[in-house]
Amino acid sequence: MKKILRLMLSLMLLGAVFGLTSCMSGSQESNVSQSGQDDIISTPTPQLTATPGIIGESIAEIAETTGLNREMLLGLTGEDWVNFGISVAIFFVGVLIISWIVRFVIGRIVRATPGTHDDEFYAAIKRQINVLIGVLLLDYATDRLVFVPVEVKEALNQIYFASAIITLAYIVWKLIDLLFIWQSERYVLNGEVDYRAAVRSLFRRFLRGVVVIFTLIIVLSNYGINPIFILSIIFGFVVATLIAGQNILSDLIYGFVLLFERPFEVGDRIEIKDLETWGDVVDIGIRTTRVCTLDNRLVVHPNSLVGRSLLVNFSQPTAQFRAKFDIDVAYGVDPEKVQEVVEEAIRIVEGVAVDKEIDVLLNKISKSGLEFRLRWWLVNYADASYVGDQVLRSVYAAMLQSGIEMSLDAYDLNIFMDGGISPSIIDNPLEVKDE
C-alpha cells in the first residue's frame, strides 16, 4: 500500500502543477455573483488577454526589426505564425521531454519497492499520465498565443480542464478496480473461498458511482452549471427509485445482513423451513439466494424471504451430522445384549464416524416390548440417506443373527356376550368378560 501511495502522490503533484499553471495562465473560473447564487447556469468570468512572456517579447522585437509584423498570411502576421510554430514545438518537444522525466522518476519509485502491484498500476495508467502532460502543455501553448480570441481560449481551457479531470477520474477508477482484483487474488493464492465477493463487487460499483458523480459535478461546474442543481437531480432520481422498488430495497438490505452475518455460505446444505426448501447453497447475491435442491433443481429466493425464515444449516459448525431412529424388541431380551449387538452393527457401517460415541438407549417400556433409541454420527451430512439405509440393514441383520426378536403390537380384546361364551373364544388366549 505504501508503494501505491507514493505513486499516487506523484500523480497528485502532477495534477497540482496542472492546476497552478492553469491559474497562472488565466484559466477561467466560474464565479457567481452574490445576487445570482441560485442560478442553474452562471456566466463564467471572461479571461484576461494573455501578457506576452520573454519569448513573445523577443519575437516581437525581431518581428519589428525584420518587418514580419507587417507581413500577412491567411489573416495572421508573420509574428503570429512564428509564435504559432513555437507553440507547436513547445507541445511536441515538451511531451517528449516531460514524459521521459516523469517515466524516469516514477520508474525509479516503482523499481525501488518490492512487489508487483505498483508495476501493474503504473502500466495501467501510463497512457493517462501522458494525456495529462499533453493537456498541461496544450493549455500553456494555447494561452501564450496573443492572436487567439478570448472566447476561443475560454472554450479551449474548459475542454482542457474537463479532459484533465476525466483523465484523473479514470486513474482513480483504475486504482479502485486493481485494489479489488488484488484482494480477490489474495483469496485465490491462500486457497480461501471469497464469501464476501458480492459485497466487495457492490462496494466497488458504489465507489465507481462516487467517482462518476464527483467528476460530473466538477466538469459541469467548470461550464457554469450549479452543482446543487446536479445533486438535486441525482437525489430525486435515487428517492424515486427507492419508492418504486421497495421490495427490491428490502431484498438488498437483507442481502447485506446475510452477507455480513453469514448464517450460511456457498456450498452449505441448508433447510429453509418456511419456504420448504432443502439443498445446497449455490450463490448468495445482493438481492437473491440460489439453492440447488437434492433433485437437481435451482430455486431462487429473494433475500427478504430468506432472512425472515427459519434456517437450519447442516454444514456448520462441521459437516458431521447425528442421526437417530427407534427400534422395538420383545420382552425377555437382555438390554445389555441389545446394546452390544446394535452398537457393533452400527459401527461397522462405512460413513459412520467411529471416533464419535454410538448411543443405544432404553427409551421406553411399552405394552408391546422395549423401545430403544439409536443415535450415531455421520461423517458427512450429504450421505445421510444412504448411510441411514445401510445402518438399518446392518442392525436388522445383526438382530436376526443374534436371535433378538422384534416386538409386535399387543391388543386387549374384551368380548361381552348375551347367552354364554362361544367355544371358539375359550380356545383363544383372550380375556373374556360376561355381563
Side-chain angles (χ1 to χ4, degrees):
M1 185 58 69
K2 292 182 179 179
K3 301 175 288 185
I4 302 298
L5 292 177
R6 292 177 184 174
L7 194 55
M8 287 300 297
L9 179 60
S10 302
L11 295 175
M12 291 172 61
L13 292 175
L14 183 62
V17 171
F18 171 78
L20 290 175
T21 306
S22 299
C23 293
M24 294 176 64
S25 62
S27 297
Q28 67 91 41
E29 297 179 356
S30 299
N31 295 327
V32 183
S33 62
Q34 184 67 28
S35 60
Q37 288 183 350
D38 297 332
D39 293 340
I40 295 177
I41 300 179
S42 59
T43 303
T45 302
Q47 178 176 307
L48 299 177
T49 304
T51 302
I54 298 177
I55 299 177
E57 292 177 354
S58 301
I59 294 175
E61 293 178 1
I62 296 173
E64 180 69 26
T65 304
T66 60
L68 284 175
N69 57 352
R70 293 183 293 274
E71 299 292 333
M72 301 294 294
L73 178 63
L74 299 177
L76 298 177
T77 65
E79 180 185 352
D80 294 337
W81 281 109
V82 172
N83 280 316
F84 178 76
I86 291 176
S87 291
V88 172
I90 288 175
F91 172 74
F92 286 103
V93 176
V95 166
L96 293 176
I97 295 177
I98 298 179
S99 297
W100 181 85
I101 294 175
V102 171
R103 285 198 303 269
F104 176 78
V105 174
I106 296 181
R108 290 291 299 270
I109 296 175
V110 170
R111 288 191 296 270
T113 55
T116 60
H117 289 168
D118 50 354
D119 301 80
E120 295 177 11
F121 180 51
Y122 176 60
I125 64 171
K126 185 183 298 184
R127 182 176 300 177
Q128 282 66 42
I129 294 177
N130 293 333
V131 171
L132 284 176
I133 296 172
V135 170
L136 171 67
L137 291 172
L138 274 175
D139 180 68
Y140 174 76
T142 303
D143 187 70
R144 65 176 300 277
L145 298 176
V146 181
F147 63 87
V148 177
V150 175
E151 294 78 7
V152 175
K153 285 186 178 181
E154 290 178 357
L156 290 176
N157 283 331
Q158 287 178 337
I159 295 175
Y160 298 154
F161 182 80
S163 301
I165 294 300
I166 293 174
T167 303
L168 289 173
Y170 178 84
I171 292 175
V172 176
W173 180 295
K174 200 66 181 178
L175 176 61
I176 292 172
D177 284 348
L178 289 176
L179 288 175
F180 282 93
I181 291 174
W182 295 333
Q183 183 70 13
S184 300
E185 291 177 349
R186 185 179 68 84
Y187 281 94
V188 175
L189 293 176
N190 295 335
E192 301 175 355
V193 180
D194 189 2
Y195 295 111
R196 296 186 177 178
V199 175
R200 274 196 296 274
S201 177
L202 184 65
F203 186 58
R204 178 174 63 178
R205 295 175 184 175
F206 170 76
L207 292 179
R208 284 177 173 179
V210 171
V211 172
V212 171
I213 291 174
F214 273 95
T215 303
L216 287 175
I217 291 176
I218 296 174
V219 171
L220 295 179
S221 299
N222 180 61
Y223 283 92
I225 300 177
N226 195 337
I228 298 178
F229 174 71
I230 304 173
L231 292 176
S232 300
I233 294 177
I234 296 174
F235 179 76
F237 175 78
V238 171
V239 171
T241 302
L242 294 179
I243 294 176
Q246 295 182 7
N247 293 333
I248 296 178
L249 178 62
S250 177
D251 293 335
L252 294 176
I253 294 175
Y254 275 101
F256 276 109
V257 173
L258 292 176
L259 289 169
F260 278 102
E261 290 190 355
R262 296 168 62 181
F264 53 84
E265 298 172 350
V266 174
D268 287 358
R269 176 161 295 180
I270 65 172
E271 180 183 4
I272 309 176
K273 290 187 174 296
D274 295 349
L275 304 179
E276 298 182 354
T277 300
W278 168 289
D280 299 325
V281 179
V282 176
D283 178 64
I284 308 172
I286 298 300
R287 198 183 70 82
T288 61
T289 295
R290 301 171 186 266
V291 179
C292 183
T293 62
L294 300 184
D295 54 355
N296 198 31
R297 294 294 181 267
L298 184 64
V299 181
V300 181
H301 290 301
N303 286 332
S304 57
L305 298 180
V306 176
R308 288 193 293 263
S309 300
L310 176 63
L311 296 172
V312 179
N313 192 332
F314 294 92
S315 301
Q316 296 184 16
T318 64
Q320 291 187 335
F321 174 74
R322 192 174 74 171
K324 65 181 180 180
F325 69 87
D326 298 333
I327 62 171
D328 294 327
V329 300
Y331 283 115
V333 178
D334 185 8
E336 298 297 332
K337 180 180 179 180
V338 174
Q339 180 178 359
E340 180 181 353
V341 171
V342 171
E343 183 176 337
E344 183 61 27
I346 296 175
R347 193 176 300 279
I348 63 175
V349 176
E350 184 178 358
V352 174
V354 295
D355 58 329
K356 295 285 188 176
E357 186 177 357
I358 298 175
D359 298 324
V360 182
L361 307 175
L362 181 56
N363 190 48
K364 184 180 179 182
I365 300 177
S366 63
K367 293 182 178 181
S368 58
L370 306 179
E371 180 182 296
F372 288 86
R373 172 156 296 177
L374 314 183
R375 300 189 304 194
W376 73 96
W377 288 86
L378 295 164
V379 175
N380 195 317
Y381 64 88
D383 302 327
S385 298
Y386 175 76
V387 177
D389 171 77
Q390 296 300 310
V391 167
L392 289 175
R393 292 173 183 268
S394 178
V395 169
Y396 181 69
M399 292 177 64
L400 288 180
Q401 185 177 0
S402 301
I404 300 176
E405 297 181 359
M406 303 290 291
S407 66
L408 299 175
D409 291 338
Y411 300 95
D412 292 335
L413 181 58
N414 300 321
I415 301 177
F416 303 93
M417 301 178 61
D418 294 332
I421 303 175
S422 172
S424 61
I425 297 178
I426 297 176
D427 295 334
N428 294 326
L430 298 174
E431 181 181 357
V432 179
K433 295 182 180 179
D434 190 8
E435 291 183 342

